[in-house]
Amino acid sequence: MTTPRSVRIFDTTLRDGEQSPGASMNRTEKMEIAQALVQLGVDIIEAGFPIASPGDFESVRDIATAVRGATVCGLARCSDADIDRAWEALQHAAQPRIHVFLATSSIHREFKLRMTEDEVVARAVAGVSRARRHCGDVEFSPEDAARTELDFLCRVVEAVIAAGATTVNIPDTVGYATPQQMHRVIKTLRDRVPNIDKAVISVHCHDDLGLAVANSLAAVEAGAGQVECTINGIGERAGNCSLEEVVMALRTRRDHYGCDTRVVTQRLVPTSRLVATITGIQVPRNKAIVGRNAFAHEAGIHQDGMLKDRSTYEIMRPEDVGLERTDLVLGKHSGRAALADRAKALGYQLTPEQLQTVFERFKVLADRKKEIYDGDIAALCETEFAALPEQFTFDRYVLSTASGSPPTVELHVLQSGQPVQVTVTAGDGPIDGIFLAIEKATGMTTVCRDFRVQAVTVGKDAQAEVTVELEHAGQVQRGRGVSTDSLEASAKAFLAAINRLALGAQPRLHPQA
Ligand code: KIV
Ligand code: ZN
């Protein structure tokens, strides 16, 4: 068998993934994900779009400074200000990359940029040349490449490589391509662009038609050497190519694709859980590779086959993606070392101070709940990692309620450490009543755009995890709360979102602007 070709994995969870509506992450959360991506073994981490906001800039700078073992990349439009700002954020990275982009399709040229073909080529070349003055590793993306005339795409790609681009990324920005088309585009570039061997060809597919993974794999078959993807496939609109799916397809069907990646596949499930918890975007049960049902065999005939030989119905082993066959782990008598060990296996590197706090909470939880599962530990760690400076902290509620009449809620919160108490008799049930009481206590009126509750683990005493998405003055923020009491979890989630709104996220520029 011939030696497998190596395909680079470019993770854009922190940039394109963060463009999922409501998925904005704070600096600590982004750093946590970046460290998990290093452990996962991705080659490139796109840490953000530095000119988009001061927060984005700081996150890229923090990650560039801290991360070792992966290239750290920042996005920039083809403008001097964007490129210089990206470099300012990236300059301390051990392996920095500037990623510049400019739309090339006729639709974007005519309606968005109002530029001619010559002007687009000149701007792209100027952008790449400026980025190369800062950094030896420069990626160029012709945005909406999949809808760009092939002749013009070849012209742009040749020009940016001549200007110094070391990677040329082919985005299907609107998720319009088909696998055959993507294959043809990459093959045409390889056949027709004379200097194509001086750059790595990359692919970046969106999932509007559910084809992002298939399109990326088709590009790899045609010779692409880098795939851009996100954990759990999160991203703009329907999302991006899912990292775990593309990596496991390449690994499971190495016989077909003849390619390898550096990804440590046993880290896929822990990383997926981490991203789901931080962003509040839950993984569907039936999601390939990392969904709860991905390795569950329900039909009797399948179970029978599995007992006789796993290969009858299993093409991948759950342990190869980091799924434990049982995740019942700790109880009341478990010690600090066991907790630290389990947290580490789940992808959480706790400092001694964090371990202390998580351990104290673990003991409290173990008093309320007999069996502590991985999901409980992840929830405890996440509460610690995601902690933001809180203006409002939940204390307790007293509730009186009956079917058919509005509940009375007496709510106690702390505002910057000072007790605040309000009472309301309003709302359509206890959760609505609690939310109205919180709005009264915080003086903030919001529109609730999403509310979800799910059990963190199994059993009647399972902790409830509540996520809410609130809108206030044009800003949307998510909040998450976990408790064995689902009303308390709801109150905590609502207050977490209010705290984020109160922090006043700075206006951000959208990459497609
Ligand atoms: O989808 C897209 O075109 C992008 C570019 C900025 C690469 O995300
Ligand atoms: Zn994109």
Side-chain angles (χ1 to χ4, degrees), residues 12 15-16 19 171-173 204-206 228 236-237 239-240 512:
T12 183
R15 199 277 297 168
D16 217 328
Q19 287 172 224
D172 179 19
T173 305
H204 175 114
C205 296
H206 280 269
E228 302 201 354
E236 185 78 29
R237 305 182 310 279
N240 288 60
Q512 266 79 45

Side-chain angles (χ1 to χ4, degrees), residues 229-283:
C229 41
T230 58
I231 301 293
N232 300 337
I234 63 169
E236 185 78 29
R237 305 182 310 279
N240 288 60
C241 170
S242 142
L243 182 147
E244 53 281 358
E245 291 179 25
V246 87
V247 163
M248 287 312 288
L250 291 175
R251 178 180 152 141
T252 308
R253 297 307 311 272
R254 190 188 277 129
D255 61 317
H256 178 79
Y257 293 106
C259 294
D260 260 347
T261 71
R262 283 180 50 235
V263 169
V264 181
T265 58
Q266 293 77 7
R267 303 290 321 153
L268 287 171
V269 167
T271 316
S272 158
R273 282 192 185 145
L274 180 70
V275 170
T277 319
I278 287 182
T279 58
I281 301 178
Q282 299 306 328
V283 175

Side-chain angles (χ1 to χ4, degrees), residues 440-462:
K440 186 168 175 194
T442 58
M444 199 174 287
T445 313
T446 61
V447 177
C448 185
R449 294 195 356 169
D450 197 17
F451 171 84
R452 277 162 212 263
V453 58
Q454 66 164 18
V456 170
T457 55
V458 293
K460 288 201 192 98
D461 63 353

